[in-house]
Amino acid sequence: LPTMKMLLSLIALLSAALLANTAPPTCYSRVLSLSKEITESFKELQTSKAVDSCVEMLPRLYLDIHNYCVLAKLRDFVAYPRCERVLEVSELKEKARSLYTIMISYCRRDLVFLTDDCSTLENPILPPIEPS
């Protein structure tokens, strides 16, 4: 019986150690996940029927964090003067501002830009949609 208690205690201790050792998100993983979240939110905003007509005029927001032009794209989107009264747009601008800040300050040394082709952010080549 004491051996069983010791074994259970050891299992509990090892389980706690494994949970404690999970790696925190890296700068790269945080930037990648936030850019995907912003891109998805923008797509949802564009397809939402309850959205103001100003949303149609918003700058296109396709983000590729490996493209140096993404920084200018984020600046342009955040600085866009219209749609202040649309809550979803304000929230999206705040996320874009956060991503920009993370990229230029916290993660500046960790990011590698593979291209500076700004046209791909305007007209992205998206993967084909797989039939379901």
Side-chain angles (χ1 to χ4, degrees):
L1 195 64
T3 325
M4 184 62 110
K5 282 186 179 178
M6 192 178 339
L7 183 61
L8 287 174
S9 295
L10 182 61
I11 290 171
L13 182 64
L14 288 174
S15 297
L18 284 174
L19 289 174
N21 284 337
T22 56
T26 62
C27 257
Y28 177 75
S29 66
R30 178 65 183 131
V31 166
L32 189 61
S33 67
L34 187 54
S35 69
K36 287 180 181 178
E37 180 182 330
I38 291 169
T39 300
E40 288 303 312
S41 294
F42 182 72
K43 286 179 191 173
E44 290 172 10
L45 183 64
Q46 285 188 313
T47 59
S48 173
K49 294 180 181 11
V51 174
D52 196 281
S53 62
C54 72
V55 172
E56 296 171 5
M57 305 305 288
L58 283 172
R60 186 182 186 128
L61 194 59
Y62 167 74
L63 303 178
D64 175 3
I65 62 164
H66 301 105
N67 187 333
Y68 186 73
C69 294
V70 75
L71 295 173
K73 175 64 85 175
L74 288 166
R75 276 193 313 267
D76 291 347
F77 186 79
V78 169
Y80 189 73
R82 297 192 179 125
C83 297
E84 296 92 10
R85 69 183 192 282
V86 179
L87 180 63
E88 294 88 348
V89 174
S90 296
E91 290 172 353
L92 195 56
K93 283 185 175 186
E94 195 54 44
K95 285 181 185 179
R97 184 178 290 111
S98 294
L99 178 60
Y100 181 80
T101 301
I102 291 169
M103 290 181 76
I104 65 164
S105 57
Y106 302 111
C107 298
R108 185 183 58 219
R109 293 184 191 103
D110 297 341
L111 298 178
V112 175
F113 297 107
L114 304 175
T115 182
D116 62 351
D117 182 1
C118 298
S119 66
T120 60
L121 294 180
E122 294 302 320
N123 301 303
I125 300 170
L126 301 174
I129 299 171
E130 296 179 18
S132 43

